[in-house]
Amino acid sequence: LFEAATTEAKVEAAGALSTMVVSNPANQSTVAHELVALLSRESSSAKTQEDVTDLLYNLSLGPENRGALSKWGAIPQLARQLREGTASAQMNAASGLSQIALKSAQHRVQVTAQLIELLGSPDSSVRQRAWNALKDMAAEGGTDSQMTVQMAGGIDRFVKLLEEGSLEAQEYALWLLWQAPDT
């Protein structure tokens, strides 16, 4: 339905999938797996990818769904949408990644690593969106910032960002190191 249906049918399909997850949490894994698979297909249209990214973001708002989304590969696919997707997909991808990062320290590190990679993009708008998402995560993370620095490669990686990274990468490195003064 996401690929060939009318807009109304797509909205109804998205609603049905959301209801399936909410009404029966056992469906989380299956729905997450299928959506991530659809998002990763190269044959999916930009509109389909935008619709699926929107649905993944909506699912990430439920704390109980974040683990399933991560398990089935949503983090790299959302990072790809942040880099290559439509404007709407990019916004929802950044928000979805931030939500998944709230699940656990491990998820935060996975998301942080993907976003740090995007700081190296030649596209300044991608770098800015990644920087904004990282900044939001750091602000929400509180004491997790120190652990994120250590698990994402330690001080050496952030010093390298300061020396060689884009302006956004440098700003992020400074911000995170400032947030985690005991590292």
Side-chain angles (χ1 to χ4, degrees), residues 102-164:
L102 296 174
K103 173 71 175 168
S104 68
Q106 177 186 359
H107 290 92
R108 180 177 286 279
V109 169
Q110 290 172 349
V111 170
T112 299
Q114 290 287 326
L115 292 172
I116 287 172
E117 187 175 317
L118 291 176
L119 290 174
S121 172
D123 184 339
S124 63
S125 63
V126 171
R127 291 192 312 266
Q128 188 62 48
R129 282 188 299 278
W131 158 234
N132 288 337
L134 285 162
K135 184 178 168 185
D136 291 345
M137 285 173 42
E140 291 173 5
T143 59
D144 285 345
S145 296
Q146 180 176 352
M147 186 171 54
T148 300
V149 168
Q150 293 167 349
M151 294 178 76
I155 299 237
D156 292 340
R157 180 165 187 185
F158 291 93
V159 168
K160 187 172 181 174
L161 285 175
L162 286 170
E163 293 173 346
E164 301 171 6

Side-chain angles (χ1 to χ4, degrees), residues 9-52:
K10 290 177 185 179
V11 168
E12 288 187 25
L17 288 171
S18 295
T19 300
M20 286 174 57
V21 170
V22 170
S23 66
N24 185 357
N27 292 326
Q28 292 170 348
S29 188
T30 302
V31 170
H33 179 257
E34 293 302 321
L35 289 172
V36 171
L38 183 59
L39 192 59
S40 64
R41 285 189 201 131
E42 290 184 24
S43 63
S44 294
S45 70
K47 180 63 175 149
T48 296
Q49 291 183 14
E50 181 180 308
D51 292 339
V52 172

Side-chain angles (χ1 to χ4, degrees), residues 41-85:
R41 285 189 201 131
E42 290 184 24
S43 63
S44 294
S45 70
K47 180 63 175 149
T48 296
Q49 291 183 14
E50 181 180 308
D51 292 339
V52 172
T53 301
D54 181 52
L55 185 53
L56 288 174
Y57 163 66
N58 287 328
L59 289 173
S60 75
L61 294 173
E64 65 282 354
N65 298 329
R66 295 173 188 153
L69 290 171
S70 175
K71 175 183 176 182
W72 292 110
I75 293 172
Q77 290 305 317
L78 289 172
R80 186 174 63 81
Q81 287 303 306
L82 184 62
R83 183 178 61 248
E84 301 169 3

